[in-house]
Amino acid sequence: MADRIRNVYLVLSQKCNLTCSYCYAQGGDFGQESRLMDAATMKRALDRIAALADDTLVVSFFGGEPLLNFGLMKETVAYGNELARKQGIQLRYALTTNGTVMTDEILTFIKEHVPHVAVSLDGTALVNDRERQFRNGSRGVHDSVVETIGKLKEVGIRFGIRATVTERNAGELAVAAKYLARLGPESVRMAPAFRGEGWTDHAFGQLESSLCALEIDALEQIAAGGDPTTGERLFKVLLNVVKGERRSHPCAAGMGVVAVAANGDVYPCDHFIGVEAFCMGNVHDEEWPGERFSSVCGRMKSNSVEHRSRCRQCSVRHICGGECHVHSLLSQGDIETASPQHCALARNLSRQLLDKVIPISSQPAGAKRLRDYINGA
């Protein structure tokens, strides 16, 4: 059986109004029927998962573009709050959106019920709109997202920005990160689009050098008492050095996290949707959770850095935690074998950051600043 579930990705919509060059969800439908989740599936999912939940369960609204099914989002919050009261658990809500579907009604609802929003934006208009366009062929995605961000700020909604880095914009990563930070998010996550085929050596070199510079800059800001918006990989190093955390997995997929597709199929995370071998059954099945659920949970849990062949001897394995299971599956054909480019990036970034972090952590003032940053994150 899985660990207690802490986060469920509820895929309200397997439809999207955008078309993005790198979309892992294959245009929003994950390679399946383009559809919206219905109320019966939502209620069944929450009923079943609440019974497996920890004391606090985060319901993450996801898609496709989840706001294309805003009516069900409202119904989910109403039903979820009543369910939480009956079950004696706490429900919290999160939203990931492309930022182009926003009305005054949606804004008011988010302000009242969703404490944090993740907005997708890759950088300046030139960078973003080169990869992301409206499905009807029109351009201007960047301007639409920035307008939404302005509305979020105006009413005081906390938000972060998730930027996808492709081979075409790897050389513009530093400029994009600074631009996005100026928009006022609490965090900026720069996520390379590693899907299947590896990057060219030139683009990979640009990515590695740019990410390293970005993470070192974040460390210098922390050491000076600042609070940077970037530093996702640095944070893993700090947890290891300052708090002694030893990561065994890249994430909690299939353990503390599950995703429910629009038809009720359950997967370890949203990236697995449509991969039949990792379907954990359907919430409408009378026996769910059953053998398939337990089997996939066990497979995910056993895929730790202690069992992965390329991880066992790696000196930074407990900082990295291993490659994303799905990235390994797409590039290497199984979830157990990390791709060479992931390993090179994780190794080189971790070692360069360790060389900077350890001297700072050895000084009382520096150690305190690092601890305060971790505790406040």
Side-chain angles (χ1 to χ4, degrees):
M1 183 59 73
D3 297 335
R4 304 304 291 179
I5 296 175
R6 304 186 302 276
N7 193 335
V8 53
Y9 283 78
L10 210 59
V11 182
L12 300 185
S13 168
Q14 286 184 218
K15 295 182 177 183
C16 189
N17 61 324
L18 300 187
T19 174
C20 304
S21 65
Y22 48 72
C23 181
Y24 71 85
Q26 300 180 55
D29 61 16
F30 297 87
Q32 300 179 329
E33 178 186 343
S34 179
R35 57 192 159 198
L36 302 177
M37 180 178 284
D38 59 33
T41 299
M42 175 273 290
K43 292 177 180 179
R44 186 77 164 181
L46 289 187
D47 286 345
R48 292 296 183 86
I49 289 171
L52 305 176
D54 206 344
D55 293 338
T56 299
L57 176 65
V58 177
V59 178
S60 297
F61 298 116
F62 208 77
E65 173 46 52
L67 292 180
L68 295 178
N69 200 3
F70 175 59
L72 186 65
M73 181 175 165
K74 291 193 295 182
E75 194 170 348
T76 302
V77 170
Y79 187 80
N81 289 346
E82 180 62 19
L83 179 65
R85 186 188 63 79
K86 292 177 179 178
Q87 296 278 0
I89 63 175
Q90 181 182 5
L91 250 65
R92 292 168 42 219
Y93 303 97
L95 168 67
T96 297
T97 175
N98 64 31
T100 66
V101 182
M102 187 61 63
T103 64
D104 290 342
E105 181 187 5
I106 293 174
L107 198 66
T108 299
F109 184 84
I110 292 173
K111 173 68 174 176
E112 293 176 353
H113 300 288
V114 183
H116 193 272
V117 178
V119 182
S120 299
L121 186 66
D122 294 346
T124 63
L126 176 64
V127 170
N128 184 85
D129 292 355
R130 190 168 56 202
E131 310 293 345
R132 309 172 72 220
Q133 297 183 18
F134 286 104
R135 189 166 293 279
N136 63 12
S138 64
R139 302 182 68 84
V141 172
H142 166 274
D143 292 349
S144 179
V145 178
V146 170
E147 181 180 354
T148 291
I149 286 174
K151 293 177 180 179
L152 296 175
K153 290 166 62 177
E154 185 178 346
V155 300
I157 295 173
R158 297 167 54 211
F159 71 97
I161 294 177
R162 187 191 188 281
T164 299
V165 185
T166 68
E167 288 185 82
R168 289 207 296 179
N169 64 27
E172 300 159 312
L173 186 152
V175 173
K178 289 180 180 178
Y179 171 76
L180 296 173
R182 288 197 297 269
L183 295 177
E186 291 190 332
S187 63
V188 175
R189 183 186 178 205
M190 310 297 292
F194 288 144
R195 302 290 296 177
E197 297 295 326
W199 285 23
T200 65
D201 290 343
H202 176 68
F204 184 77
Q206 288 182 315
L207 173 70
E208 184 176 341
S209 60
S210 296
L211 276 178
C212 186
L214 202 63
E215 301 284 325
I216 290 175
D217 180 65
L219 176 61
E220 291 173 348
Q221 290 182 54
I222 296 168
D227 187 17
T229 57
T230 55
E232 178 183 357
R233 294 155 189 84
L234 169 63
F235 194 71
K236 294 179 181 180
V237 173
L238 295 179
L239 287 175
N240 180 265
V241 173
V242 178
K243 288 204 166 183
E245 181 178 293
R246 292 164 60 86
R247 296 173 63 89
S248 59
H249 296 81
C251 63
M255 295 176 285
V257 174
V258 294
V260 183
N263 70 343
D265 283 344
V266 183
Y267 297 88
C269 78
D270 55 283
H271 287 259
F272 274 109
I273 292 176
V275 183
E276 181 60 27
F278 288 88
C279 181
M280 308 167 84
N282 189 290
V283 295
H284 292 292
D285 297 339
E286 288 301 322
E287 70 276 11
W288 196 90
E291 185 178 343
R292 289 182 70 183
F293 182 80
S294 298
S295 175
V296 175
C297 287
R299 186 172 179 187
M300 302 301 292
K301 194 164 190 174
S302 67
N303 192 36
S304 70
V305 293
E306 304 303 340
H307 293 90
R308 286 183 164 197
S309 59
R310 285 185 178 167
C311 296
R312 281 197 296 265
Q313 304 305 316
C314 179
S315 62
V316 301
R317 65 187 181 280
H318 290 301
I319 294 174
C320 166
E323 184 177 33
C324 164
H325 307 283
V326 178
H327 290 178
S328 294
L329 179 66
L330 291 175
S331 65
Q332 305 299 300
D334 61 69
I335 66 170
E336 293 84 11
T337 307
S339 63
Q341 286 192 338
H342 165 83
C343 293
L345 186 63
R347 226 176 7 247
N348 293 340
L349 283 181
S350 295
R351 288 171 179 170
Q352 291 187 61
L353 287 170
L354 284 169
D355 287 343
K356 301 284 186 179
V357 168
I358 290 174
I360 295 173
S361 66
S362 66
Q363 302 296 321
K368 182 179 184 305
R369 283 176 179 161
L370 296 181
R371 284 195 304 271
D372 288 346
Y373 173 73
I374 292 173
N375 293 333

